[in-house]
Amino acid sequence: MTTDISTGMEQADVHEEIQPGDPSTEVEAPVVEDTAVKALNAVLIRAAVANRNAERFNKVDEAAKADVVRVLGRKGSLPVMNPLNADEEFVQITVSKLTYTAKVVDPSASKEWVKERYADKVEKQTRLMPGTTEQHVFNVLKQFAPYLLEEVDVVPDHVINELALKSRLAQRPMGFGGEVGVDAPPGIVVEPSAPKVYVTFRNPSVVDDLIVSGIVDMEGNMLGGDE
């Protein structure tokens, strides 16, 4: 006995039902997020933003300190009152005092100036005649062939250092005898020190309170016209 198990579907119909690639039969694979890559990218973005903010606030800091130097002057120092509490000095702002540095930028010119004006600062030094290069026989030559040697006038380095020190104290190029201006020793430059502003907090949390209260912005500018 034969059992009819026909589905009533034609052969082509069966093939169409199971045809590979048919969107109606495909199961979408779940999208797996690469959390490790995203986390790494987030860290790098945070570093980039922090770096940019640091550059921005460094410029704000420099500008604010320049204003402090302008209003306080060198060696100036004042406490800062808390706008939220008139009795509290929450920070001290101090500007460094003015100092000078002197450096020798042209030692040859400075030494020639010393030779012309201060013979007592010049010392005798023995050296090989030009063209004689056998340094290792220097002592031998000095004893047995002195005609190959000559004595010359030289200005020792310590003398030039003395000039630099005197110039620093005078706050301008100056000679041993007080020569300045056109008579000053050449080759010496005297420069004033750059001002430094020191911020000494007594209660740093006040800054956060001022920002939260809307009294200053993130750059420290007073808001609402209050000065």
Side-chain angles (χ1 to χ4, degrees):
M1 177 171 127
T2 303
T3 303
D4 185 4
I5 59 172
S6 172
T7 61
M9 297 177 62
E10 297 181 359
Q11 182 112 8
D13 294 335
V14 173
H15 290 168
E16 288 175 0
E17 288 293 328
I18 61 174
Q19 183 67 34
D22 188 340
S24 63
T25 62
E26 288 185 351
V27 178
E28 292 187 4
V31 178
V32 179
E33 295 184 355
D34 193 344
T35 56
V37 173
K38 287 189 174 182
L40 174 60
N41 196 57
V43 170
L44 299 181
I45 289 176
R46 181 168 175 264
V49 172
N51 180 267
R52 182 67 180 126
N53 285 338
E55 291 180 358
R56 184 179 294 112
F57 280 103
N58 280 341
K59 292 180 180 179
V60 173
D61 181 59
E62 292 174 1
K65 288 180 177 178
D67 288 340
V68 169
V69 174
R70 178 174 54 82
V71 297
L72 287 187
R74 301 302 291 265
K75 206 179 178 179
S77 183
L78 280 178
V80 182
M81 307 307 297
N82 181 359
L84 299 174
N85 181 1
D87 296 327
E88 180 184 14
E89 298 175 356
F90 76 100
V91 66
Q92 184 84 17
I93 306 294
T94 304
V95 182
S96 64
K97 68 178 182 180
L98 179 62
T99 60
Y100 290 86
T101 58
K103 58 183 178 180
V104 180
V105 296
D106 189 350
S108 297
S110 300
K111 289 182 178 182
E112 285 301 319
W113 183 90
V114 173
K115 285 182 179 180
E116 293 175 2
R117 296 170 179 258
Y118 292 92
D120 60 310
K121 300 289 186 180
V122 179
E123 298 178 358
K124 292 292 184 181
Q125 189 177 81
T126 301
R127 71 177 184 185
L128 292 174
M129 292 288 289
T132 306
T133 59
E134 293 81 0
Q135 294 292 328
H136 61 284
V137 297
F138 180 81
N139 290 332
V140 177
L141 291 175
K142 187 174 182 180
Q143 183 175 359
F144 298 105
Y147 55 88
L148 293 177
L149 303 174
E150 67 174 351
E151 276 195 343
V152 294
D153 294 334
V154 298
V155 178
D157 290 339
H158 71 82
V159 172
I160 301 303
N161 292 337
E162 291 174 13
L163 271 181
L165 175 60
K166 189 173 185 67
S167 297
R168 180 177 68 82
L169 296 176
Q171 301 177 6
R172 56 178 172 170
M174 176 179 285
F176 297 111
E179 301 93 335
V180 295
V182 295
D183 293 324
I188 295 178
V189 174
V190 179
E191 299 174 335
S193 61
K196 294 182 180 180
V197 176
Y198 301 97
V199 179
T200 306
F201 277 103
R202 298 169 184 167
N203 185 1
S205 64
V206 170
V207 173
D208 297 331
D209 295 339
L210 295 178
I211 294 174
V212 171
S213 300
I215 295 178
V216 300
D217 62 15
M218 289 296 293
E219 295 183 358
N221 299 305
M222 299 293 290
L223 301 176
D226 295 331
E227 296 293 341

